[in-house]
Amino acid sequence: MLILRILFKTILLILSIGFICNFIMQAISYAFYKNAKHMTNITIQPVKIQINAQLTGYGCHLDMKSNKVIILLGGSNYIAYNTIGRFGGYYNCPVLSVDYYGCQESKVK
């Protein structure tokens, strides 16, 4: 019985540490996107897209006829505007990118 109690406490401790670390890492990564500014050294002017009431994004070449669509997902400091502005001009088809929920003009967390 003592072994089961120690095993249960160990598993509970590991899970607790995992949840706490996950929460901290999520808060840190969210901070990168929340305060990102629009870049000025862009290669193409992004077009704003309102996907639904809570989600916004940007795109380029939206009127172009093509069988392909490229969806770019940004990383640190690459919000949708920056992602399309920097990399959207390299492709000859419609290119889309969305802001993660809670970042820029996208609502909800």
Side-chain angles (χ1 to χ4, degrees):
M1 189 67 162
L2 182 61
I3 294 174
L4 286 176
R5 182 182 291 176
I6 293 172
L7 182 64
F8 179 72
K9 284 183 179 182
T10 304
I11 291 172
L12 190 60
L13 179 65
I14 291 171
L15 287 175
S16 298
I17 291 171
F19 283 123
I20 290 169
C21 290
N22 186 33
F23 178 76
I24 291 169
M25 291 305 295
Q26 184 179 9
I28 290 170
S29 66
Y30 177 68
F32 284 114
Y33 301 108
K34 187 175 182 183
N35 298 319
K37 305 291 183 228
H38 288 195
M39 291 180 170
T40 55
N41 58 338
I42 56 176
T43 58
I44 193 167
Q45 187 61 42
V47 177
K48 185 176 178 182
I49 303 168
Q50 187 72 38
I51 297 165
N52 62 32
Q54 299 173 333
L55 188 64
T56 61
Y58 286 88
C60 65
H61 307 303
L62 300 176
D63 296 332
M64 186 178 288
K65 301 265 187 214
S66 176
N67 292 335
K68 300 174 185 173
V69 173
I70 295 178
I71 300 173
L72 297 174
L73 301 174
S76 296
N77 199 36
Y78 278 96
I79 53 177
Y81 181 90
N82 296 347
T83 303
I84 295 297
R86 291 281 299 190
F87 306 111
Y90 295 126
Y91 305 101
N92 290 325
C93 62
V95 183
L96 305 170
S97 183
V98 297
D99 282 316
Y100 300 109
Y101 284 107
C103 298
Q104 300 299 312
E105 295 179 31
S106 291
K107 308 289 187 268
V108 185
K109 193 170 182 184

